[in-house]
Amino acid sequence: MITLAERLQKLPPYLFVDLRQKMAAAKEKGVDVISLGIGDPDYPTPDAIVNTLCNAIQDTEDPDRHRYGCDNPVADFPQAVKEFYKKRFGVPLSDEQIVTTFGSKDAIVKLALGILNPGDVGIAASPGYPTYNIGHVFASATTYYAPLLRENNFFVDFDAIPDDVKRLAKVLWINYPNNPTTAVADLDFFKRAIAFGHENNILIAHDNAYSENTYDGYISPSILQVDGAAEVAVEFFSLSKAFNMTGWRLGFVVGNENVVNAVKKVKDNIDNGSLRALQFSGAKALSLAHEITPKLNSIYQERRDMVVDALRKSGWNIEKPKATMYVWAPVPEKFNGSSRDFATALLDEVGVVITPGLGYGQWSEGYFRISLTYPNNVIEKAIERIQNFST
Ligand SMILES: *Cc1c(COP(=O)(O)O)cnc(C)c1O
């Protein structure tokens, strides 16, 4: 028998496995199941981006169109990144501060491999995206979870991080606008994060997956807007949620040159880069952001209003999120704070799937997440069922 690596045993159970099994069982019983569980945009990638891909892959005048992206980089992409960061955030970037990635999930693990030694510590804000910890596991490092509490506006409480953790930690992962809490950060919080990085010699890795998914005129900042940020920080930007491009696997990491270089080094030795047609398409997307973003956001904003208004009518006391494609709400009182019991009952009784907070760690127990990446009529039907269920 072939034995497997111990690191696979150290991975936490995948968030949705339990739920998937329950979904399958409910379907088997004949329940008509509607899911609002996954955050993956339903609308297709905008035409201008798709057309750029098709033209580039068919361009017989480009002799390198089929070749390794790392050896045949498209200058348009980093150029578009620079223009986007300058125009959108007022942040100037040099070529050395940019690396093109296969989206953020992949790059998060590669960054961990590039900066962590066995036994090192990484700090991950919790609740949070599971991949920060997974990167640590793959790099044989360990994770300290910094709780994001409602009473702190879901910000990391830097003073509450123990001294020995500060001493051993090499990276702190944060994510605003935040998945799953939908919390947003202001520049003042980012300033405190950068100061924490400077004081403790810890890389601040900001996962900026949702900066373009914003509502009601809210504009989300980049952590690189803080003075001196590039000395201790990098930012992960992804085209996935901003341009409905989850399946394309395209993003970039920007900021600290040394760390960007580490990611480049890991990539050079593992992945050989993104297809040229993808790089052209990404450049197109970034250059059209000011046209594309408002259209996509008006779709999510309408859905957000539908969901929050309906939940409020059923007695939920929740705010409308300023950003992300999610609604984050407390489980009804009768479930005594158990998000798993609530999710199971909702599925069994009315066939609706939501994401239980517990899946994002102990600090988000008592909450659940609804994803707005489903067609309006699906959301409407699911919400009606939730209303009937809870009233
Ligand atoms: C969706 C998501 C990502 C992953 O994005 P990809 O670029 O598609 O890998 C990263 N971080 C957070 C918080 C996300 O929700």
Side-chain angles (χ1 to χ4, degrees), residues 79-158:
Q79 188 55 35
V81 169
K82 280 193 246 179
E83 280 164 21
F84 177 73
Y85 257 64
K86 188 83 190 61
K87 201 160 137 190
R88 171 66 180 82
F89 300 115
V91 171
L93 296 167
S94 68
D95 285 323
E96 292 71 33
Q97 288 182 302
I98 305 171
V99 53
T100 306
T101 66
F102 291 175
S104 294
K105 188 173 185 176
D106 183 85
I108 287 163
V109 175
K110 284 173 178 158
L111 181 138
L113 294 175
I115 68 163
L116 294 172
N117 290 313
D120 281 348
V121 172
I123 306 172
S126 177
Y129 195 56
T131 310
Y132 315 134
N133 169 60
I134 288 164
H136 301 162
V137 170
F138 282 171
S140 302
T142 54
T143 302
Y144 173 82
Y145 287 105
L148 304 182
L149 305 176
R150 176 166 291 269
E151 59 261 38
N152 297 328
N153 294 323
F154 298 110
F155 290 163
V156 175
D157 180 358
F158 298 106

Side-chain angles (χ1 to χ4, degrees), residues 48 59 66 68 109 118-119 121 175 207 214 234 252 280 332 336 350:
D59 181 4
H66 62 288
Y68 287 130
V109 175
V121 172
N175 159 233
D207 179 0
T214 58
V234 288
F252 51 91
F280 282 116
N336 293 319
V350 292

Side-chain angles (χ1 to χ4, degrees), residues 182-390:
T182 74
V184 296
D186 48 17
L187 262 188
D188 188 59
F189 171 76
F190 282 154
K191 275 184 196 156
R192 284 188 281 132
I194 294 297
F196 174 81
H198 275 294
E199 275 156 33
N200 299 289
N201 219 4
I202 292 173
L203 172 71
I204 309 301
H206 180 233
D207 179 0
N208 197 24
Y210 295 100
S211 63
E212 307 315 295
N213 306 107
T214 58
Y215 315 110
D216 304 329
Y218 172 70
I219 297 172
S220 185
S222 158
I223 199 167
L224 298 181
Q225 286 171 239
V226 177
D227 283 341
E231 291 160 28
V232 288
V234 288
E235 187 157 81
F236 289 71
F237 190 92
S238 169
L239 279 73
S240 288
K241 317 290 170 43
F243 303 108
N244 296 353
M245 291 174 72
T246 41
W248 296 52
R249 314 311 305 133
L250 191 63
F252 51 91
V253 179
V254 290
N256 185 276
E257 262 181 48
N258 212 14
V259 175
V260 162
N261 227 349
V263 175
K264 280 185 189 160
K265 216 167 198 174
V266 174
K267 281 179 62 69
D268 282 344
N269 285 281
I270 297 182
D271 74 31
N272 285 338
S274 297
L275 184 74
R276 281 169 65 79
L278 268 178
Q279 299 182 54
F280 282 116
S281 311
K284 188 71 179 179
L286 290 167
S287 72
L288 292 178
H290 57 287
E291 286 176 29
I292 294 171
T293 307
K295 286 185 201 150
L296 300 187
N297 286 347
S298 72
I299 296 168
Y300 293 128
Q301 183 164 327
E302 188 188 341
R303 294 173 181 177
R304 174 201 70 166
D305 291 346
M306 265 165 52
V307 170
V308 174
D309 291 345
L311 288 179
R312 281 178 179 168
K313 268 192 205 137
S314 299
W316 261 280
N317 177 14
I318 49 172
E319 308 256 315
K320 289 190 172 172
K322 289 198 184 82
T324 75
M325 319 176 305
Y326 310 109
V327 170
W328 183 243
V331 305
E333 253 166 47
K334 68 175 176 193
F335 292 95
N336 293 319
S338 170
S339 57
R340 178 168 293 170
D341 288 355
F342 175 59
T344 305
L346 202 59
L347 177 58
D348 286 347
E349 289 174 34
V350 292
V352 173
V353 177
I354 48 82
T355 310
L358 192 59
Y360 285 91
Q362 56 161 318
W363 299 105
S364 47
E365 176 57 315
Y367 287 83
F368 67 99
R369 192 191 78 173
I370 285 176
S371 171
L372 304 173
T373 56
Y374 295 87
N376 289 24
N377 62 334
V378 172
I379 294 181
E380 219 163 294
K381 198 161 132 191
I383 284 298
E384 246 167 56
R385 291 188 189 183
I386 294 177
Q387 283 184 306
N388 293 338
F389 170 78
S390 55

Side-chain angles (χ1 to χ4, degrees), residues 174-186:
I174 51 175
N175 159 233
Y176 297 94
N178 183 261
N179 174 15
T181 67
T182 74
V184 296
D186 48 17

